[in-house]
Amino acid sequence: MRPRECSAAAAHGTAASLVATLPRLRELHGRTVVVVAGDHVLADKKLRHAFCGDIGFLRYSGVRPPDDPAALRRHVAGHVQRGLVGSLGDHTTLAVGITGEDGRTLVLRGEADVQVDPGVVRLFLDTGRIPIVSSVAYDSGGGIQLLSAVLAAVALAATLQADLVLPTGTEGTFPATAAVVDMSVPHAVLRHLYRLDDAGESGLGTALGG
């Protein structure tokens, strides 16, 4: 096959793949999806770049994607969050980093009781931004607590009535409707949400959209 023919075949395949996603694009348009990046994404530059490309694509395809990275406090609102926001900058200028302290978005009332004030997150979502929410919260006494990313994400998704995407190996309590995907696979989020193939899906929970 000649180079031009190869290029045309590749373009045809890409176009066909995009058209095939239209039913899911319609289903997901306007919905909010909370995604936990997970350790693979945070530790691997190439996976982080692919993950951020997925998040950027979701935003421009009409999905509202808050992301919830987890790390120690000295990193979570600094190095880790800046890394994700910076990587998203390769795909979109719409990412903004916040912590659960901002606007008292997250307040830990008990061992696993997280109160969510979604005002700041919704403000960013409604203005087309992608909030990167660090899982740092106030406690009921006004102190600072480090929450697990899963605990924060579950509470945030429930309050926002959002779909929830978690990495494989996730520990803790989360809804059966949450999607669990293998974040060590590049573009696992898009592959799952748009049902491009069965890779990256653990079989736990149900596919988003039912």
Side-chain angles (χ1 to χ4, degrees):
M1 186 177 290
R2 297 174 181 176
R4 181 171 292 182
E5 292 174 336
C6 289
S7 177
H12 176 78
T14 300
S17 296
L18 289 172
V19 171
T21 67
L22 281 175
R24 287 296 287 164
L25 282 169
R26 286 194 293 267
E27 288 180 44
L28 292 169
H29 187 82
R31 287 167 60 177
T32 302
V33 179
V34 173
V35 183
V36 175
D39 293 338
H40 287 294
V41 169
L42 298 180
D44 187 292
K45 185 176 181 180
K46 289 183 179 180
L47 286 175
R48 185 166 62 248
H49 182 78
F51 173 84
C52 289
D54 290 0
I55 299 300
F57 184 91
L58 289 175
R59 164 61 184 83
Y60 287 115
S61 63
V63 180
R64 292 147 50 107
D67 176 49
D68 192 340
L72 296 176
R73 188 179 192 280
R74 65 178 179 273
H75 295 302
V76 76
H79 175 73
V80 171
Q81 191 177 74
R82 285 199 301 270
L84 283 172
V85 172
S87 294
L88 272 164
D90 294 336
H91 306 280
T92 174
T93 60
L94 298 174
V96 59
I98 68 172
T99 77
E101 300 160 274
D102 295 323
R104 298 186 73 83
T105 298
L106 302 173
V107 176
L108 184 65
R109 295 295 186 186
E111 185 175 344
D113 179 16
V114 180
Q115 176 181 308
V116 177
D117 183 337
V120 172
V121 174
R122 281 187 172 142
L123 175 64
F124 284 126
L125 290 172
D126 290 345
T127 54
R129 299 286 178 174
I130 303 171
I132 308 298
V133 184
S134 297
S135 50
V136 180
Y138 283 114
D139 60 27
S140 56
I144 300 300
Q145 295 289 331
L146 304 177
L147 304 184
S148 76
V150 176
L151 181 61
V154 167
L156 188 60
T159 301
L160 293 172
Q161 296 183 314
D163 295 304
L164 178 61
V165 179
L166 302 170
T168 52
T170 293
E171 297 180 355
T173 303
F174 53 88
T177 53
V180 182
V181 302
D182 184 357
M183 294 294 185
S184 68
V185 177
H187 300 294
V189 176
L190 285 188
R191 291 167 70 169
H192 170 72
L193 289 177
Y194 293 104
R195 298 172 183 164
L196 301 180
D197 57 30
D198 293 331
E201 198 166 322
S202 73
L204 297 176
T206 58
L208 301 189

